[in-house]
């Protein structure tokens, strides 16, 4: 499903059969009720064929696979042998987290501070002028913030934008109204710049 070397997810496409997309190609993530271990998310993604399709991902594919913390194998072209990729990647990821780096972050507007986060807390994404509008449910205060970030900020673990845009708006908790507010606020183009120094 997730390939740590290409940072892409594989999904079914009705046109191409199979397609590969980045996390930043996701448009909506919705946690399905019930399943806990693993939690399962219904996602909608923007496919290279030009359409949007639905798919399913687990929380470990969202949060851990990009860090190499899931079972992955890759073909070593020099030796034509399959090798485990997870131990080496995960060692590095664990060391960086212990050193105070965080793979993903966002700016919580209600709390007025940057926060570490995992992709399973992202729930709406919209591409704009070279950047990405991102709605995040804060894992600490449970309220919603919308940030304007680079694609790399989402796709590459440990790539945190130094400064991001923050929509100065307290969003409703209602999911359907939220989607409309998300659009309106992104279209309005009102953003505050915030430095992203995690304490
Ligand atoms: Zn497609
Ligand atoms: Zn918060």
């Amino acid at each position: 499903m997730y390939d740590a070397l290409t940072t892409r997810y594989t999904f079914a496409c009705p046109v191409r059969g199979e397609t590969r997309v980045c996390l930043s190609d996701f448009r909506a993530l919705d946690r399905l009720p019930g399943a806990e271990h693993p939690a399962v998310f219904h996602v909608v993604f923007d496919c290279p064929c030009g359409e949007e399709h639905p798919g399913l991902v687990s929380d470990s594919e969202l949060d851990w696979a990009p860090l190499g913390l899931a079972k992955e194998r890759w073909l070593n072209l020099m030796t034509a042998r399959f090798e485990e990729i997870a131990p080496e990647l995960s060692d590095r990821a664990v060391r960086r987290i212990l050193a105070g780096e965080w793979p993903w972050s966002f700016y919580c507007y209600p709390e007025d501070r940057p926060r570490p986060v995992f992709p399973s807390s992202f729930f709406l994404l919209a591409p704009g002028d070279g950047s990405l509008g991102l709605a995040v449910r804060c894992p600490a205060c449970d309220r919603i913030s919308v940030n304007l970030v680079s694609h790399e900020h989402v796709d590459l673990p440990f790539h945190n934008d130094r400064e991001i845009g923050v929509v100065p708006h307290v969003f409703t908790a209602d999911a359907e109204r939220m989607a409309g507010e998300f659009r309106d606020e992104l279209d309005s183009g009102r953003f505050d710049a915030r430095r992203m120094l995690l304490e």
Side-chain angles (χ1 to χ4, degrees), residues 69-152:
L69 298 172
K71 206 161 169 53
E72 285 274 347
R73 290 178 147 242
W74 65 290
L75 181 64
N76 182 330
L77 292 175
M78 301 304 290
T79 62
R81 294 217 324 245
F82 280 98
E83 301 189 354
E84 297 283 346
I85 191 172
E88 196 251 330
L89 257 187
S90 59
D91 275 2
R92 201 173 346 140
V94 168
R95 273 203 306 274
R96 294 181 75 171
I97 291 169
L98 290 176
E101 283 187 73
W102 201 255
W104 293 275
S105 61
F106 80 109
Y107 199 92
C108 179
Y109 177 69
E111 294 185 282
D112 197 24
R113 58 169 293 177
R115 285 267 187 208
V117 73
F118 276 110
S120 55
S121 293
F122 301 163
F123 69 100
L124 289 172
L125 297 90
D129 244 355
S131 60
L132 198 66
L134 175 67
V136 185
R137 188 178 306 279
C138 180
C141 73
D142 208 37
R143 286 174 292 181
I144 291 161
S145 295
V146 173
N147 290 176
L148 202 67
V149 300
S150 71
H151 289 243
E152 292 79 15

Side-chain angles (χ1 to χ4, degrees), residues 133-191:
L134 175 67
V136 185
R137 188 178 306 279
C138 180
C141 73
D142 208 37
R143 286 174 292 181
I144 291 161
S145 295
V146 173
N147 290 176
L148 202 67
V149 300
S150 71
H151 289 243
E152 292 79 15
H153 183 84
V154 166
D155 290 329
L156 302 179
F158 300 107
H159 177 108
N160 291 292
D161 292 350
R162 286 199 189 153
E163 193 174 285
I164 61 169
V166 180
V167 173
H169 178 77
V170 176
F171 285 86
T172 171
D174 178 83
E176 274 175 32
R177 276 180 44 212
M178 168 61 214
E181 281 182 35
F182 179 61
R183 278 273 152 224
D184 293 347
E185 289 294 327
L186 287 181
D187 289 347
S188 80
R190 288 187 300 124
F191 296 100

